[in-house]
Amino acid sequence: MSSAELQSRIQQGFQEEIEETKLLDCMRCGFCLPACPTYIHSNYDEAQSPRGRIALMKAVRDGDLPFDDSVEESLDLCLGCRACEPACPAGVEYGSLLESARNVIQKEKKQSVKEKVVRHAAFDHLFKDQQKMNRTAGMVKFYQRSGLQTLTRKMGILSFFPSVMKDMEKVLPRIEKNEVEKGVVYEGKRQNKKVAFFTGCLMEPMFSKTNEATVNLLQELGCDVWVPEHQVCCGALQGHSGELDKARENAKQNIESFLEMDVDYIVNNAGGCGAFLSEYDHLLKDEPELLEKAKAFSDKIIDITSLIYELGLTEKGLSYIGDKEITVTYQDSCHLRNVNLVKDEPREILKSIENVHFVDLKSADQCCGSAGIYNLVQPEMSIRILDNKMEDVESTHASIIITTNPGCLLQMKMGIERAGLSDQMEALHLVDFIQKYILEN
């Protein structure tokens, strides 16, 4: 395909998939600028801001600017954290604009052989088939427990890999046996609510103990917890990477699986998953036969922090089990805060615990640089954001930094390692913190 043909096809795709009215919602007021990490960390480059990217989309759509690598690079460098949305007085739907633009580019631009192989392995296998994801995690488990990990580190083999890969290897969670069975209803102590639990494609094998702690906590608070058998990945990584059709396939399967039984809520413990699940009605807006089901599904989505707060966890007389007061801080999951608007609940839970001194993190509302697989595909910007974040974390003098999303958790663990703070601080999911350190008085 010639350059002219590609530009024509991209322009046509933008016209078909990106609503002009949504582009025109942007008033170019600039309220989004101080909320955007890539704008700040690119020396205030307008092309790396939300309004700059919207201007590029509109210019390509209108034929005023030819699509080229610089446009794609600007869109790719976006974290997709959506911090611009709550900052925007006009309510611009930036997240959907970005996903649509990436979707068009992915459809029309010729991929390299390497990219085709990686995308096929990830989106047609790993994030589509949970058994394949679990088998992959099993290989990591073998690497960790067979002595290969120790040997690899001693021989310096990791030095041949990019630095971000070496850092990630250091903080990979220890793979444990998954005790949360699908197709099972775990009975609560008082049976106040009946909820369905979304296990998450990465949470299930990589953070199985967090899932187990989540189910246990919900049982303690009086919930029957049903774990649907045929659930799959939420589709967020596909949707954010220009693979909207594959995301829709996963959404349809999840909707059918979770609506088999009437429940009060569909609860998740991964902020990024929860945001995407809550927008299935938008994802399937062009499929009227499914829209009613998608809305019913999305209306039931709730994050674990919101649910345990609603169930009265802050009134339970919780107390830190250590000998003296401990200082903790909290890093928001971007999508939990910016899409699902869950900000206060995790903070109120932490503040309610006796002998826990909660310190607000200065930049908690800004992305940590994880953003799904962003830290792998855009390592330079990701690390720049993370290192800056860790300066704020260190200033809290906290012993524990808490978050509510697996990607954020791994990123903060990596930040602790990079900052040389591993002997002073640890990173934990909120549920794991409660399970490990908190008791009722």
Side-chain angles (χ1 to χ4, degrees):
M1 186 188 303
S2 69
S3 175
E5 287 175 320
L6 175 63
Q7 290 177 25
S8 176
R9 290 175 70 93
I10 295 286
Q11 181 184 357
Q12 183 179 350
F14 274 28
Q15 290 171 347
E16 291 173 355
E17 294 200 29
I18 301 176
E19 297 178 36
E20 186 176 26
T21 54
K22 289 186 177 181
L23 292 170
L24 293 174
D25 283 340
C26 177
M27 304 182 298
R28 300 189 57 78
C29 64
F31 277 85
C32 60
L33 299 183
C36 177
T38 55
Y39 173 72
I40 294 169
H41 291 283
S42 63
N43 294 319
Y44 308 104
D45 181 355
E46 182 73 20
Q48 308 308 335
S49 72
R51 75 175 181 184
R53 293 183 176 107
I54 289 172
L56 289 174
M57 292 180 213
K58 188 175 187 307
V60 171
R61 189 184 190 280
D62 294 346
D64 296 330
L65 178 73
F67 174 82
D68 60 17
D69 289 344
S70 68
V71 176
E72 185 177 12
E73 286 168 7
S74 174
L75 298 178
D76 284 347
L77 195 63
C78 179
L79 291 148
C81 68
R82 294 171 67 172
C84 52
E85 291 187 8
C88 178
V92 174
E93 296 179 22
Y94 177 80
S96 65
L97 290 172
L98 179 67
E99 286 179 358
S100 296
R102 286 176 171 173
N103 192 53
V104 172
I105 294 168
Q106 197 54 46
K107 282 181 180 178
E108 302 299 344
K109 189 174 180 184
K110 186 177 180 180
Q111 300 172 350
S112 66
V113 173
K114 178 182 177 182
E115 187 177 4
K116 282 183 179 179
V117 170
V118 170
R119 282 182 171 269
H120 179 70
F123 300 136
D124 293 327
H125 293 281
L126 278 181
F127 295 106
K128 186 178 178 65
D129 186 335
Q130 189 60 43
Q131 289 186 346
K132 290 178 181 177
M133 179 68 79
N134 292 344
R135 284 198 291 270
T136 302
M139 293 169 63
V140 175
K141 182 178 180 179
F142 176 78
Y143 168 73
Q144 290 174 333
R145 302 194 180 191
S146 64
L148 275 175
Q149 184 176 51
T150 302
L151 183 63
T152 298
R153 290 177 176 179
K154 283 184 176 180
M155 294 180 66
I157 294 174
L158 293 170
S159 63
F160 295 100
F161 290 83
S163 60
V164 69
M165 296 291 287
K166 291 187 288 183
D167 291 338
M168 288 294 289
E169 192 273 346
K170 290 179 184 176
V171 300
L172 276 176
R174 187 172 174 82
I175 307 300
E176 305 283 355
K177 182 181 178 182
N178 182 17
E179 301 289 351
V180 177
E181 296 182 41
K182 289 181 176 175
V184 174
V185 176
Y186 294 89
E187 292 187 1
K189 288 190 173 181
R190 294 177 300 282
Q191 300 177 344
N192 294 333
K193 302 277 186 185
K194 185 170 187 178
V195 302
F197 178 45
F198 181 80
T199 58
C201 61
L202 281 175
M203 291 296 295
E204 182 177 319
M206 302 289 284
F207 297 92
S208 60
K209 291 303 176 184
T210 306
N211 277 358
E212 186 179 345
T214 299
V215 172
N216 291 340
L217 182 56
L218 289 171
Q219 288 178 284
E220 287 290 329
L221 292 171
C223 292
D224 283 352
V225 185
W226 170 51
V227 188
E229 184 173 4
H230 301 296
Q231 58 178 292
V232 292
C233 167
C234 67
L237 289 179
Q238 296 92 316
H240 301 330
S241 302
E243 301 278 359
L244 285 175
D245 287 341
K246 291 181 173 65
R248 292 185 184 105
E249 291 175 14
N250 283 31
K252 291 172 187 177
Q253 182 164 338
N254 279 328
I255 288 168
E256 292 301 323
S257 298
F258 278 87
L259 294 184
E260 285 180 4
M261 191 180 293
D262 185 36
V263 294
D264 297 296
Y265 294 111
I266 299 170
V267 62
N268 70 90
N269 57 12
C273 297
F276 203 77
L277 293 167
S278 69
E279 294 187 328
Y280 273 5
D281 52 343
H282 169 77
L283 184 67
L284 298 172
K285 66 181 187 302
D286 295 326
E287 303 192 37
E289 71 280 5
L290 290 173
L291 192 54
E292 187 175 340
K293 282 186 175 182
K295 286 181 177 177
F297 177 92
S298 292
D299 286 346
K300 290 181 182 288
I301 296 297
I302 191 169
D303 182 73
I304 182 63
T305 55
S306 295
L307 182 53
I308 60 179
Y309 180 82
E310 179 182 313
L311 293 171
L313 184 67
T314 57
E315 301 163 9
K316 296 294 181 183
L318 302 179
S319 180
Y320 172 61
I321 62 175
D323 296 331
K324 57 183 181 179
E325 185 178 77
I326 189 172
T327 299
V328 305
T329 191
Y330 175 75
Q331 167 63 32
D332 287 281
S333 156
C334 291
H335 286 128
L336 183 60
R337 179 178 180 129
N338 300 325
V339 180
N340 292 137
L341 305 180
V342 176
K343 170 190 171 186
D344 296 330
E345 292 92 325
R347 290 173 168 83
E348 292 302 315
I349 289 170
L350 292 170
K351 289 176 183 177
S352 73
I353 302 171
E354 188 178 342
N355 291 329
V356 167
H357 174 54
F358 175 75
V359 178
D360 253 321
L361 178 61
K362 177 184 173 184
S363 58
D365 61 337
Q366 290 215 351
C367 185
C368 63
S370 171
I373 58 172
Y374 186 92
N375 52 6
L376 298 178
V377 297
Q378 298 287 348
E380 183 180 344
M381 179 60 75
S382 174
I383 292 300
R384 198 181 305 171
I385 292 169
L386 176 60
D387 288 347
N388 186 75
K389 171 77 65 180
M390 291 310 299
E391 292 178 11
D392 292 334
V393 170
E394 193 167 2
S395 71
T396 66
H397 303 290
S399 299
I400 301 176
I401 179 164
I402 292 168
T403 188
T404 49
N405 187 61
C408 303
L409 180 59
L410 287 177
Q411 186 81 341
M412 298 317 300
K413 285 178 178 289
M414 187 164 68
I416 290 170
E417 286 286 334
R418 287 179 58 82
L421 298 172
S422 55
D423 60 338
Q424 306 169 38
M425 178 185 295
E426 64 178 324
L428 290 171
H429 191 289
L430 177 62
V431 170
D432 290 326
F433 174 65
I434 294 171
Q435 173 93 351
K436 184 175 181 180
Y437 289 120
I438 307 303
L439 291 176
E440 290 187 36
N441 287 327

